[in-house]
Amino acid sequence: MAEQPDSPTGQPGSTARGRRPRLSEVGSDPDYRYSLANERTFLAWIRTSLALLAGGIAVVQLAPDLGPRALRLTVGIALIVIGGVIAGAAHHRWSTAERAMRLGTSLPPSRLSVVLGYGLAIVALVVLIVLIVAEGGQ
Amino acid sequence: MRPVPEPVVDPGAQAERTRLSWNRTGLALAVNAALLVHTASGSLARHLPAAAMLLVALACFLLADRRYRRIVAAVRAGRSVASIAHVRTLAAVAVLPAVIALAGVLVP
């Protein structure tokens, strides 16, 4: 997540020293509505992360009938790790979007939705298989 | 004489929507804290992570209120509304629940 994507405009946010200037020093203030929308998107990602954490804890601790403990632990840890990655990357997404808005460049693509989408798809598949196997064994 | 109505500073209610968003995030943190209390068994030390998360939830609510007033004042004065400090603080703290949850799941 830390590498900078190559920008066709030659990375307008970087200085000669290679150190990125502070957010408030680049460009100009965007419309306050955009800044606040960006902030709310950040908060929405944090809430998504918290929901995944709650799901992960619940699968391991509150659903003993779902399947063997090893499998529940795998699903729970997967959910919590996805949640942790999203929480960790949410600030980077916020700050790159804010920087792009201040400089008037296009918003950089975010890989957060990829992590969430494919991550949850894999978890759903595993849970589905666990349920089918558990029902078939009875 | 009718009083002159004050001009609407924030017609899209962006400041209020942002405050509610902070409040929802605080609620989500509180729910996670409740879940941790529910699953934590035994000693008082095992309830400490939940207590820490509850404090963060409370901070979210207090920050939401203060941030709302700051945003309205900034919009009225035409200043920047972006608050790196708020976002950075929550970002740093938001990874904490993941670590707590992972520890809670892995440590029997």
Side-chain angles (χ1 to χ4, degrees):
Chain A
M1 292 286 175
E3 79 269 19
Q4 290 179 21
D6 286 331
S7 162
T9 51
Q11 298 196 5
S14 59
T15 60
R17 281 171 295 163
R19 175 89 175 88
R20 297 228 291 176
R22 290 159 58 92
L23 198 54
S24 54
E25 289 168 2
V26 298
S28 55
D29 288 342
D31 189 326
Y32 77 97
R33 290 172 293 181
Y34 302 158
S35 280
L36 293 181
N38 192 26
E39 185 171 322
R40 290 197 297 273
T41 308
F42 163 77
L43 291 170
W45 277 112
I46 294 293
R47 288 195 299 276
T48 305
S49 157
L50 288 169
L52 288 169
L53 297 187
I57 296 173
V59 163
V60 176
Q61 310 250 6
L62 300 179
D65 296 335
L66 188 66
R69 181 172 161 79
L71 270 170
R72 283 187 289 120
L73 207 56
T74 309
V75 169
I77 289 172
L79 286 173
I80 291 169
V81 167
I82 296 171
V85 168
I86 286 175
H91 174 261
H92 181 257
R93 195 216 64 87
W94 174 85
S95 103
T96 49
E98 195 73 20
R99 194 172 288 268
M101 288 193 298
R102 294 189 71 88
L103 292 166
T105 55
S106 56
L107 289 176
S110 169
R111 264 164 290 172
L112 272 178
S113 49
V114 177
V115 173
L116 182 65
Y118 286 105
L120 274 188
I122 293 168
V123 169
L125 199 64
V126 171
V127 171
L128 185 69
I129 292 169
V130 167
L131 283 179
I132 289 172
V133 169
E135 287 299 310
Q138 282 176 2
Chain B
M1 234 172 71
R2 289 169 59 187
V4 181
E6 253 187 72
V8 177
V9 178
D10 181 22
Q14 298 284 329
E16 193 166 355
R17 284 163 67 185
T18 306
R19 172 164 73 174
L20 289 169
S21 195
W22 277 96
N23 282 349
R24 281 199 298 278
T25 307
L27 269 177
L29 279 161
V31 167
N32 267 261
L35 191 63
L36 278 180
V37 169
H38 184 73
T39 54
S41 52
S43 67
L44 193 68
R46 304 215 52 166
H47 287 87
L48 281 181
M53 216 186 281
L54 206 57
L55 280 180
V56 179
L58 193 67
C60 261
F61 272 89
L62 297 177
L63 280 178
D65 202 46
R66 211 175 61 156
R67 182 103 179 91
Y68 172 77
R69 281 184 267 118
R70 290 256 172 103
I71 288 171
V72 171
V75 170
R76 188 172 280 145
R79 290 196 312 267
S80 167
V81 295
S83 171
I84 300 172
H86 276 88
V87 173
R88 193 167 284 167
T89 307
L90 184 60
V93 175
V95 187
L96 198 70
V99 176
I100 293 172
L102 205 57
V105 164
L106 288 179
V107 179

